Amino acid sequence: MRPHRPRRAVLPLLCLAALALPSTAFGQAAPAPPRPAAPATAAPKPAPPKPAAGPTAQATLLGQFGDWGAYTASPGGAKVCFALAKPVSSVDEPPNRRTAANPVYMFISTRPSENVKEEVSMLVTGYALKGNTEATVAVGTTNFAMYTQNDGAWVKNAAEETQLVDAMRKGQDVVIKAVTAKGTKTTDKFSLKGISQALDRVAQECK
């Protein structure tokens, strides 16, 4: 099912925003771009090109809650809040295809100016996911389909995001399975310790 939200260009400042993370957290990452539309045909439109390096919007850490950080930034003057985590384990098949230069992040973002609340996505660094294919995100035995585009994956049916986030608040971990553009099967497991507190802080900041 196509997401209910329309396709929009990737916001350059949002893509380039640098997180001022503590040394004990994740290093540097970029907030996930807004959800692109799921492909409707076998010949999807190419994704918008990534912007060249330029001015950035610095993200502010609102708080670290277990394995999740809560952040805010204002790229282009539009306030964005998000919770972010890195996987506690990653498995490749064939093994060891990804390196330390290929970090993976899970984002749950809220963009009040677009009426978007708790959009779930995964962003990978240094490689692309196999385009226009389904990935999966699972909490316990409950699975949700995701679709991929370039270096990101989004929940395929936006209407299911509330159910997914509710499950994450109650769960122990969440697992995302995908396939890279080179055919490597990836499994990334994220701890859900602190997710509720991080999301509550995000909601407080971006009402």
Side-chain angles (χ1 to χ4, degrees), residues 10-48:
V10 175
L11 296 175
L13 290 177
L14 187 59
C15 289
L16 293 172
L19 300 185
L21 301 178
S23 59
T24 55
F26 313 130
Q28 288 192 337
R35 172 203 304 274
T41 68
K45 296 180 181 179

Side-chain angles (χ1 to χ4, degrees), residues 84-182:
L84 173 150
K86 282 188 69 176
V88 294
S89 68
S90 296
V91 177
D92 299 345
E93 183 185 342
N96 304 320
R97 290 295 183 93
R98 293 178 291 178
T99 69
N102 304 133
V104 178
Y105 301 95
M106 189 171 186
F107 290 82
I108 304 177
S109 59
T110 292
R111 304 189 296 278
S113 64
E114 301 173 43
N115 198 30
V116 172
K117 180 180 179 182
E118 296 183 344
E119 178 184 83
V120 179
S121 61
M122 179 179 75
L123 182 71
V124 301
T125 305
Y127 65 96
L129 296 171
K130 189 173 182 180
N132 307 317
T133 59
E134 285 193 3
T136 60
V137 54
V139 182
T141 59
T142 305
N143 287 270
F144 300 85
M146 304 182 84
Y147 68 95
T148 60
Q149 187 175 24
N150 296 332
D151 56 1
W154 290 262
V155 177
K156 192 171 184 179
N157 182 1
E160 294 181 344
E161 280 180 326
T162 298
Q163 182 183 351
L164 171 57
V165 171
D166 286 345
M168 290 174 66
R169 282 178 174 270
K170 299 172 185 176
Q172 298 296 315
D173 54 60
V174 58
V175 176
I176 297 180
K177 294 185 178 183
V179 180
T180 73
K182 294 184 177 181

Side-chain angles (χ1 to χ4, degrees), residues 19 31 59-65 68-73 79-85 106-112 116-120 165 169 194-207:
L19 300 185
T60 300
L61 176 66
L62 300 172
Q64 186 68 36
F65 306 93
W68 287 79
Y71 300 86
T72 185
K79 191 171 185 179
V80 177
C81 301
F82 54 94
L84 173 150
M106 189 171 186
F107 290 82
I108 304 177
S109 59
T110 292
R111 304 189 296 278
V116 172
K117 180 180 179 182
E118 296 183 344
E119 178 184 83
V120 179
V165 171
R169 282 178 174 270
I195 182 67
S196 292
Q197 295 93 325
L199 290 177
D200 289 346
R201 184 66 183 90
V202 164
Q204 179 184 7
E205 187 70 20
C206 274
K207 297 181 179 178

